Amino acid sequence: MDGKLIDRIRSAGRIAALTGAGISTASGIPDYRGPEGVWTRTPSAVNAFTLENFMADAAVRREFWRTYAGHSAWRAEPNAAHRALAELDGAGVAVRVLTQNVDGLHQRAGLAARKVLELHGTMHTTRCTRCPARFPTPEVLARVEAGDDDPACPRCGGILKLDVVLFGQMLDGEVLGHARNIAAASGLFLAIGSSLQVEPAASLCTMAAQAGATLVIVNRDPTPYDEDATFVLRDDIEAVVPELCAAVTS
C-alpha cells in the first residue's frame, strides 16, 4: 500500500465511511449498476424502485414484493470489509459509517447502530404510507408468501412500503444533516463500493474534501468524484478495506 496513504490514514483522527452496494457483493448481494447488476441485467426493474410507479400501480408493487421476498440480503452474512470497519470501532477509533445500503450488514458485523447512518433507509422494517404504522418486514413478507401479493396496512388499509428511499423520494432531512456534519468533521473519508452516481449521498465526498479530509475512493469502476479524491483504489474491496483499517490501528 502507498506509504503516503498510510501516513494520511494514521494521522486522520476521525474516520467516516460512505458505503455503497459494492461492499456487500462479496456477501452475495448483487449491486445495481455493475456488469452483473440488477438494473444492468433487467433495466425495467428500476421502475419498481420509483416512488410514483410504486404508489400508482399494484402490478409494480407486486413485482417489488416478489423481489424482496426472495432477496439474497435475507441470507447474507457480513464479509471481511464490514467486519474490518466494525473492528475499528472496537479498537477505540472514532468511526462512523454512512451507508447507502439497506441490508443492515454493518450492524450485524458488530458496529453499534448509533454509529451507522442508513441514508436510504432499511429493508428490515415496513411502514404504511397513510398512517404512522410500522411493521417488521418479515411479518409482511410472510403475508406475501401466503398469497397476499400486494399487502395493505392491517390498521388503515393504506399501501405498505419498505422503509427505504425510492427514486423520487427525499432523504430524511435529519439523517442527511447528521451525515453532512460527520463528513465535514472527518479527517479521513472513505467512499467504499459506491458508484457515487446517486445524490445527495455522493456529494458527501465533496463536503469532506472541502473541509480538509483525505478522500479515498475504493471502487471497481470509475466514479464522478475520482478527480476530487486524494487516492483512488481499484483493488478488491474485501481485501483492501481490512488493509486500510489495519493501517489505522497499527
Side-chain angles (χ1 to χ4, degrees), residues 113-195:
R114 67 181 181 83
K115 297 185 178 182
V116 181
L117 283 186
E118 295 176 309
L119 300 172
H120 294 162
T122 175
M123 64 185 288
H124 294 276
T125 57
T126 294
R127 67 170 60 196
C128 178
T129 58
R130 180 188 296 171
C131 77
R134 184 175 288 175
F135 310 93
T137 299
E139 291 183 6
V140 179
L141 293 181
R143 292 171 55 188
V144 174
E145 291 168 355
D148 186 1
D149 56 5
D150 182 18
C153 176
R155 298 184 187 175
C156 75
I159 293 172
L160 291 181
K161 184 181 81 66
L162 279 189
D163 216 353
V164 301
V165 177
L166 301 181
F167 289 113
Q169 186 176 4
M170 300 291 290
L171 269 65
D172 182 283
E174 184 176 347
V175 171
L176 181 59
H178 192 186
R180 286 170 170 162
N181 289 338
I182 290 171
S186 62
L188 173 66
F189 192 89
L190 304 172
I192 304 169
S194 174
S195 66

Side-chain angles (χ1 to χ4, degrees), residues 6-99:
I6 292 176
D7 290 341
R8 292 288 191 95
I9 289 173
R10 289 176 176 169
S11 62
R14 295 178 178 176
I15 298 173
L18 172 66
T19 63
I23 198 172
S24 293
T25 55
S27 295
I29 303 176
D31 60 17
Y32 295 99
R33 294 178 174 82
E36 297 299 319
V38 174
W39 296 332
T40 304
R41 289 185 286 107
T42 312
S44 63
V46 74
N47 292 333
F49 290 83
T50 301
L51 181 63
E52 182 179 2
N53 295 337
F54 183 89
M55 295 299 295
D57 191 339
V60 169
R61 293 195 295 274
R62 287 193 289 268
E63 179 183 356
F64 186 93
W65 287 116
R66 281 196 301 269
T67 298
Y68 269 94
H71 202 289
S72 55
W74 297 113
R75 303 179 297 278
E77 295 293 333
N79 61 54
H82 295 109
R83 293 193 298 270
L85 289 170
E87 287 163 4
L88 277 183
D89 178 58
V93 176
V95 59
R96 294 290 186 275
V97 169
L98 319 172
T99 188

Side-chain angles (χ1 to χ4, degrees), residues 13 51 60 80 113 116 210 216 239-240 244 249:
L51 181 63
V60 169
V116 181
Q210 289 178 344
V216 180
V240 75
L244 291 170
T249 57

